[in-house]
Amino acid sequence: MARRIGVFICHCGINIAGVIDVEKVAEEMRKYPGVAFATTYQYMCSDPGQNLIREKIEEENLDAVVVAACSPSMHEETFRSVCKDYFSIYRCEMANIREQSSWVHDPEEATEKAIKLLKATVEKVRENEDFNPIMVPVERKCLVIGGGIAGIQAALDIADAGYKVILVEKEPSIGGRMAQLSETFPTLDCSQCILTPKMVMVSRHPNIKLLSYSEVIEISGFVGNFNVKILKNPRYVDEDKCTVCGDCEKVCPVIVPNEFEMKRAPRKAIFIPFPQAVPSTYTLDREACLGLAPLTCAECRDACEADAINYDMQAKVIEEKVGAIIVATGYDLYDKNKLVEYGYGDDDDIITSLEFERMLSASGPTGGKIIKPSTGEEPKKVVFIQCAGSRDVQHMPYCSSICCMYTAKHALLYKHNVHDGEAYIFYIDIRATGKGYEEFIARVMEEERINYIRGKVAKIFREGDKIVVYGIDTLTGKRVEIKADLVVLAMAIVGKKGTKDIAKLLKVAVDDGIFLKEAHPKLKPVEALSRGIYFAGCAQSPKDIPAVVAQASASASKVLSIISKDKLEKDPLIAVVDEEHCSGCGVCISVCPYEAMQRQPNGKAKCIEALCEGCGTCAASCPSGNIEMRNYKDEQIEKMIEVII
Amino acid sequence: MIKIAMYWGAGCGGCDVSLLGLHEKILDLLNEAEIVFWPCAMDFKYEDLEKMEDKSIDVAFYNGGIRTEENEEIAKLLRKKAKILVAYGSCATEGCVIGLANLYDKKDIFETVYLKNETTKNDEKIVPKEETDDLKLPEFLPYLKTLEQVVEVDASIPGCPPPMPVLEDALNALLQGKTKFGKEVALCDECPRKDTKPDKIEISRFYRWHEKEDNGDCFLAQNMICMGPATRAGCGGECISANIPCTGCMGPVPKVRNQGTSMLSAIASLIGEEIDEETEKEIINSIEDFAGTFYKFSTAKLLPEGRLKDES
């Protein structure tokens, strides 16, 4: 119990002192029981400010410190590290008189509230106990979920640093969306050409274990010690034996739409998504195959000289222990069927941006030739519509971030392909914030003579062999009607189908059910709220390739900061169950979001130290009042409330 | 010989019966104790009590709530005459079911009981009076009070009425002059359905008992409200053994003051995470009677000054 508490009130320039009468607060606090010393200072977080605290702890023989300043999320660590040399860090608390008082109240009210907040904090620190950090051992391995460019980059960074990585990819090959793209803006690099070397590096890297055609089905544990179960789907082709000769594909009698080509081209039941696939092997799609019954059809197996095809292959569950997890599950386009106003789905000549990417790709279904899908002719007039589903309260309210840039690229590549073609782009605003992006847009507008029309499209419908696009040019105020051969929709980007499921497995939050939610939008942009889980790429928000790669490397460095140590320090401010008085009702076990509350053989609940994040949900829900949060004991909180009201 | 007394305040009489429910054990009790006042069972008059010396009764039990002037007078008198005054049963301790009447005022209660009740036939519209020409009856107080709201109480025996094991335990302690007794855990600890508790309880809607076939598992897991987790153990789960969820008559565990709110916050936390606001409202609205479900026994104790509306 602290008996000589020092109170340090920060002016924060005029942020606090401009509103709150700090001298009055100090004077009031000097009179408060247990307060041995109180003073104010211009900037308590500055070096002289910190030294002032040190000096006074020694001079006044203080045994606890309360700093009245900004939010503890800003400077708690600063002040605690000052106090660490003298006593336990839990004898240092902050009263937030800036965000919670000076910024939001009139001077008189703010001063009064600051005094109350300080008194409450003094009451809290008075009863705080000293605790030592909990030490948790670390499994020095990382799981990366998703093998797009984000997952690939993160896996390579960690593996290069000398640590083991398990890279799990749901599809038969890694590569993700980037593998589907033709060229990348603004430099017009061939997307596959810059991606495939990294894919090869993944396949060859001794520290990377690649599990393609696999899914994470179960995750338990906590930072440093996650237990993961991965389901490896049977591909019915032995990855090691397959020579990718293609004989099987030739004889396969089943033709289905090719997902890699956005279902705008066929594939066989036995297939390889694209020639540079990693792992380099064929995969037999069990849904499409005539039934894996040799009696019905065994054409592929008979044709395979390498004897790689095995219809009896079974799904396998692989268990792994890892210390950290990176989620890089990527994105999908917004459900096209929901964009009824743009007539998608009814018309072959209205296509999505990714379908257009495949059309532009030299390895795509048309070999890079731009066609009007309904006739196969060269389209002479193409309309590109930006924000199809984005920035639209009817659909997705946010900006999908990359559509302005890739649409400009699309128009440019179209003009390079069809010299006498006309391209129109409907836009709301042009958002070209990346390096070299504005210049790229300017080039497209001026040199390529693309018609940019500022406005939204109201309606699209077919008239004979043309598609009529109705819109308004908001700059001239005139109605626009374009009879186009092809319409390309720059579809909104949404989190990959299944993002929610993976989030549920990991117990991480999802923003509006679409993107993974980071711990702090500014200061913790790659961290999940649960420690040891990080995000990379479009699973967290729409972003372009350089941003994805940067985020992947950021996540990798965060992971390395965990798995490069033998042991982790963990905050000891956790929940403690009074086991003697626990009835085993199971409410805390049911509500704990971290699975830290577990039932013991005697039926009573126990808090697993290493798992508990100290959120307090259990303590609030315990109907017997048997769970206590360390340093947030009921008596402390009651006393705090008492002095405030 | 220890001198004991028992008084019946505003209550159903079940508490008096429960003392007799000791069966032959009451003889053991009488070996050690002498009953000096028990109007329900033996012929004592208030004046007998008044004549006793102060603090001459070792243990006085008061069952029932305080609803009339008479109840209040005897409570004060017993306090004076007894060394240890015990609130016996839920009414005296927390107000119990009759305490729910504190949600209404005296006028509402009289109208309902004597005039509006569907089963009441009262063509002359006769409502009891407190005074006639030659008689004055004790006043029906504006609201029901618990014993503690009137006099200082040394110990409480929970239950409606106190179940046998609870009573035996309490009597053993009290006859030795101890005022602390009873279990400190919640009912789940001794619930006969304890082993059927799933790892995770999730509530997607609430069922009343008659709305769902009981499969023999933990009631809460079956989405039926069982007050067990917020209720003090001791009864051995009598109701649950009879396939009825706990309604909470034993009151909260000692660490908790407000049993109803405690249970509400537990239940609210159990409603599925992914349920949208609209459905959440529907789920909550499917609880028929909040006060009668969560505050069935403790309304009088918890309402400020024991009542909802002021005496005015």
Side-chain angles (χ1 to χ4, degrees):
Chain A
M1 189 168 152
R3 293 177 196 285
R4 294 189 59 78
I5 301 165
V7 172
F8 296 85
I9 302 152
C10 179
H11 295 194
C12 196
I14 56 162
N15 270 307
I16 293 172
V19 181
I20 291 173
D21 181 349
V22 285
E23 290 310 326
K24 187 183 168 194
V25 176
E27 209 178 301
E28 278 294 315
M29 291 315 294
R30 280 183 206 117
K31 291 185 241 161
Y32 199 69
V35 174
F37 175 81
T39 191
T40 75
Y41 189 73
Q42 196 73 15
Y43 286 105
M44 211 56 91
C45 60
S46 65
D47 259 7
Q50 294 179 40
N51 286 333
L52 174 72
I53 298 174
R54 277 196 196 93
E55 229 169 73
K56 294 298 169 191
I57 292 175
E58 286 174 21
E59 266 174 34
E60 302 285 335
N61 196 20
L62 303 175
D63 60 2
V65 161
V66 173
V67 184
C70 51
S71 160
S73 64
M74 301 284 156
H75 274 303
E76 190 178 72
E77 225 175 301
T78 312
F79 298 119
R80 284 190 164 174
S81 64
V82 169
C83 295
K84 203 163 63 182
D85 300 335
Y86 305 97
F87 36 70
S88 159
I89 56 168
Y90 301 108
R91 287 165 179 263
C92 172
E93 289 279 357
M94 286 185 75
N96 182 355
I97 60 165
R98 192 178 72 177
E99 285 87 335
Q100 292 179 2
S101 195
S102 69
W103 278 0
V104 287
H105 295 296
D106 298 332
E108 206 167 303
E109 281 176 335
T111 305
E112 200 185 319
K113 187 172 174 187
I115 294 168
K116 284 181 170 180
L117 288 172
L118 254 167
K119 285 180 178 173
T121 315
V122 166
E123 288 303 336
K124 179 174 188 312
V125 84
R126 200 199 299 280
E127 295 298 330
N128 271 2
E129 288 171 55
D130 302 345
F131 293 103
N132 290 320
I134 299 163
M135 300 306 284
V136 186
V138 177
E139 193 68 45
R140 306 176 83 170
K141 229 194 265 179
C142 178
L143 169 73
V144 177
I145 308 172
I149 180 60
I152 290 173
Q153 184 64 45
L156 285 173
D157 283 359
I158 297 164
D160 284 344
Y163 295 95
K164 298 276 181 202
V165 179
I166 296 141
L167 177 60
V168 177
E169 168 58 52
K170 206 171 186 173
E171 301 296 328
S173 167
I174 56 169
R177 291 288 179 210
M178 192 174 166
Q180 289 178 294
L181 306 182
S182 55
E183 272 101 19
T184 57
F185 61 80
T187 47
L188 302 182
D189 290 306
C190 156
S191 181
Q192 283 201 339
C193 310
I194 55 175
L195 173 69
T196 47
K198 284 189 182 286
M199 291 167 59
V200 174
M201 277 159 81
V202 166
S203 71
R204 301 244 167 96
H205 207 298
N207 282 339
I208 298 178
K209 179 172 172 184
L210 172 61
L211 295 171
S212 60
Y213 214 40
S214 304
E215 288 162 61
V216 174
I217 50 168
E218 212 181 293
I219 296 168
S220 60
F222 47 92
V223 59
N225 294 274
F226 291 105
N227 299 305
V228 187
K229 278 189 188 160
I230 301 153
L231 178 76
K232 188 157 176 46
N233 293 310
R235 55 166 31 114
Y236 305 104
V237 178
D238 189 323
E239 290 171 30
D240 300 326
K241 285 187 188 164
C242 178
T243 58
V244 209
C245 65
D247 288 348
C248 54
E249 190 180 359
K250 281 180 209 130
V251 297
C252 178
V254 185
I255 295 171
V256 287
N258 189 342
E259 298 83 358
F260 188 77
E261 304 296 355
M262 304 307 288
K263 301 196 175 174
R264 287 278 180 175
R267 68 162 167 83
K268 295 291 186 68
I270 192 159
F271 69 107
I272 182 162
F274 51 100
Q276 307 96 316
V278 169
S280 181
T281 176
Y282 270 83
T283 299
L284 178 55
D285 171 3
R286 73 182 292 166
E287 299 299 321
C289 179
L290 287 177
L292 297 168
L295 279 178
T296 323
C297 170
E299 297 283 346
C300 57
R301 191 190 63 188
D302 295 344
C304 183
E305 278 180 22
D307 202 16
I309 296 170
N310 172 10
Y311 297 137
D312 298 325
M313 207 177 264
Q314 297 292 323
K316 258 200 312 197
V317 174
I318 297 166
E319 288 185 37
E320 292 281 356
K321 284 198 82 173
V322 296
I325 298 173
I326 293 176
V327 193
T329 44
Y331 71 92
D332 274 330
L333 295 185
Y334 182 61
D335 183 359
K336 52 201 180 187
N337 297 315
K338 288 185 184 161
L339 272 185
V340 280
E341 59 269 42
Y342 292 161
Y344 188 96
D346 300 334
D347 206 303
D348 275 348
D349 297 338
I350 304 172
I351 66 173
T352 68
S353 39
L354 267 178
E355 287 166 7
F356 194 65
E357 284 292 341
R358 290 312 300 150
M359 204 184 268
L360 290 170
S361 171
S363 64
T366 58
K369 193 171 174 307
I370 297 170
I371 58 158
K372 184 176 170 177
S374 61
T375 59
E377 291 164 6
E378 195 173 65
K380 293 295 179 198
K381 223 180 231 183
V382 180
V383 173
F384 296 90
I385 300 173
Q386 294 192 176
C387 302
S390 306
R391 301 181 68 187
D392 185 339
V393 284
Q394 306 284 340
H395 301 287
M396 294 292 139
Y398 52 83
C399 167
S400 288
S401 170
I402 60 171
C403 327
C404 289
M405 292 309 297
Y406 74 59
T407 302
K409 176 194 78 180
H410 283 171
L412 176 141
L413 292 174
Y414 166 69
K415 288 286 277 186
H416 285 193
N417 267 267
V418 185
H419 300 300
D420 57 343
E422 279 177 57
Y424 297 85
I425 298 178
F426 279 92
Y427 71 100
I428 304 178
D429 299 293
I430 296 296
R431 297 184 167 176
T433 55
K435 198 173 182 179
Y437 288 9
E438 187 60 34
E439 295 88 327
F440 182 73
I441 294 280
R443 175 180 152 200
V444 170
M445 281 183 173
E446 288 153 21
E447 288 177 27
E448 307 294 340
R449 308 181 67 82
I450 309 291
N451 302 296
Y452 269 84
I453 302 167
R454 190 175 194 274
K456 279 213 108 175
V457 170
K459 200 177 167 190
I460 304 176
F461 60 95
R462 177 165 285 276
E463 200 177 273
D465 64 340
K466 298 285 183 193
I467 300 164
V468 184
V469 179
Y470 266 164
I472 299 274
D473 183 338
T474 54
L475 294 180
T476 61
K478 286 196 179 129
R479 236 181 67 183
V480 184
E481 182 187 328
I482 302 164
K483 291 195 161 90
D485 295 308
L486 182 68
V487 173
V488 182
L489 304 177
M491 300 291 287
I493 282 177
V494 295
K496 189 97 182 160
K497 186 170 160 268
T499 302
K500 256 182 165 174
D501 302 325
I502 207 89
K504 208 172 169 186
L505 285 181
L506 288 158
K507 292 174 226 43
V508 298
V510 183
D511 281 324
D512 297 325
I514 305 161
F515 297 109
L516 298 169
K517 190 178 173 67
E518 62 280 356
H520 189 283
K522 293 183 184 66
L523 299 177
K524 292 184 174 177
V526 302
E527 287 105 315
L529 274 167
S530 311
R531 277 184 81 203
I533 299 171
Y534 303 93
F535 304 141
C538 293
Q540 182 257 339
S541 74
K543 51 179 79 71
D544 58 18
I545 297 167
V548 168
V549 172
Q551 202 186 21
S553 290
S555 282
S557 80
K558 288 279 169 195
V559 165
L560 289 172
S561 75
I562 287 182
I563 62 175
S564 58
K565 291 182 210 135
D566 283 335
K567 282 192 169 155
L568 275 182
E569 245 183 44
K570 198 181 162 301
D571 193 348
L573 299 190
I574 55 164
V576 182
V577 181
D578 171 359
E579 287 181 39
E580 191 196 333
H581 294 128
C582 170
S583 74
C585 72
V587 171
C588 59
I589 299 168
S590 303
V591 301
C592 176
Y594 306 101
E595 293 189 10
M597 280 293 171
Q598 293 183 4
R599 195 183 292 282
Q600 299 179 81
N602 66 7
K604 295 182 189 267
K606 189 185 172 78
C607 175
I608 309 296
E609 281 190 343
L611 281 171
C612 179
E613 292 283 333
C615 71
T617 309
C618 55
S621 70
C622 175
S624 300
N626 266 331
I627 301 176
E628 198 173 85
M629 302 308 299
R630 284 182 175 168
N631 285 351
Y632 287 98
K633 289 174 287 193
D634 284 356
E635 306 88 77
Q636 274 178 299
I637 294 172
E638 277 163 19
K639 190 79 199 179
M640 288 171 80
I641 295 171
E642 199 187 304
V643 299
I644 286 175
I645 54 176
Chain B
M1 250 340 196
I2 289 168
K3 288 182 179 167
I4 62 171
M6 172 81 151
Y7 176 74
W8 176 3
C12 67
C15 284
D16 283 284
V17 177
S18 75
L19 196 55
L20 292 170
L22 286 171
H23 299 293
E24 51 272 30
K25 279 184 189 154
I26 200 161
L27 299 174
D28 298 339
L29 174 68
L30 292 176
N31 282 337
E32 291 177 56
E34 177 194 351
I35 296 170
V36 294
F37 180 73
W38 189 3
C40 172
M42 297 171 200
D43 188 16
F44 290 105
K45 299 287 183 269
Y46 291 163
E47 46 203 60
D48 300 330
L49 185 60
E50 274 162 22
K51 280 177 200 153
M52 289 179 203
E53 266 180 46
D54 287 358
K55 303 284 169 203
S56 62
I57 304 171
D58 292 292
V59 185
F61 299 102
Y62 188 106
N63 77 71
I66 287 151
R67 183 83 244 194
T68 66
E69 247 179 330
E70 181 193 10
N71 298 154
E72 191 160 354
E73 192 185 325
I74 305 299
K76 285 177 179 164
L77 195 55
L78 274 176
R79 176 68 278 184
K80 226 165 113 186
K81 303 293 174 192
K83 286 189 193 118
I84 296 174
L85 178 64
V86 181
Y88 185 112
S90 177
C91 287
T93 310
E94 300 195 281
C96 198
V97 178
I98 51 171
L100 285 168
N102 287 7
L103 298 171
Y104 305 91
D105 62 19
K106 198 164 147 180
K107 197 171 137 253
D108 290 333
I109 295 169
F110 272 60
E111 265 178 19
T112 305
V113 173
Y114 296 106
L115 303 170
K116 287 188 186 158
N117 205 341
E118 279 179 39
T119 55
T120 301
K121 190 171 160 51
N122 185 1
D123 296 335
E124 296 91 31
K125 301 206 185 313
I126 298 170
V127 175
K129 283 192 282 187
E130 276 163 19
E131 268 185 89
T132 65
D133 295 339
D134 46 13
L135 191 66
K136 188 180 180 301
L137 290 171
E139 189 199 341
F140 184 86
L141 299 174
Y143 53 91
L144 179 121
K145 292 185 254 191
T146 66
L147 187 59
E148 207 173 17
Q149 286 165 354
V150 175
V151 292
E152 199 183 313
V153 175
D154 302 304
S156 300
I157 308 177
C160 177
M164 236 6 74
V166 175
L167 186 55
E168 276 181 46
D169 182 36
L171 290 176
N172 281 335
L174 286 165
L175 293 181
Q176 292 169 39
K178 288 182 197 156
T179 52
K180 206 170 172 278
F181 46 79
K183 296 195 173 174
E184 293 183 1
V185 291
L187 183 63
C188 298
D189 187 56
E190 56 184 20
C191 177
R193 298 189 175 193
K194 191 177 183 177
D195 296 337
T196 65
K197 261 196 195 295
D199 280 346
K200 290 238 165 190
I201 301 172
E202 199 174 310
I203 288 170
S204 50
R205 63 156 286 189
F206 290 105
Y207 294 93
R208 300 174 75 194
W209 313 340
H210 60 276
E211 287 175 337
K212 195 179 181 184
E213 198 180 334
D214 175 17
N215 64 11
D217 286 353
C218 165
F219 284 111
L220 217 47
Q222 295 187 64
N223 288 194
M224 288 185 238
I225 296 172
C226 174
M227 290 290 286
T231 302
R232 196 171 180 178
C235 65
E238 278 181 355
C239 299
I240 290 157
S241 304
N243 301 324
I244 292 173
C246 171
T247 58
C249 78
M250 286 284 289
V253 293
K255 279 191 191 174
V256 173
R257 177 174 149 74
N258 191 328
Q259 179 189 20
T261 309
S262 218
M263 191 61 199
L264 266 173
S265 64
I267 276 199
S269 332
L270 293 175
I271 294 177
E273 274 171 56
E274 273 161 37
I275 288 170
D276 58 87
E277 225 169 292
E278 198 99 319
T279 326
E280 209 167 76
K281 262 186 205 153
E282 259 170 54
I283 296 174
I284 292 164
N285 288 337
S286 72
I287 300 175
E288 201 67 22
D289 170 10
F290 264 89
T293 304
F294 297 100
Y295 300 94
K296 185 172 179 181
F297 299 93
S298 58
T299 299
K301 178 182 87 174
L302 296 173
L303 286 179
E305 303 296 311
R307 64 197 184 275
L308 192 64
K309 290 182 189 168
D310 211 67
E311 284 170 53
S312 61

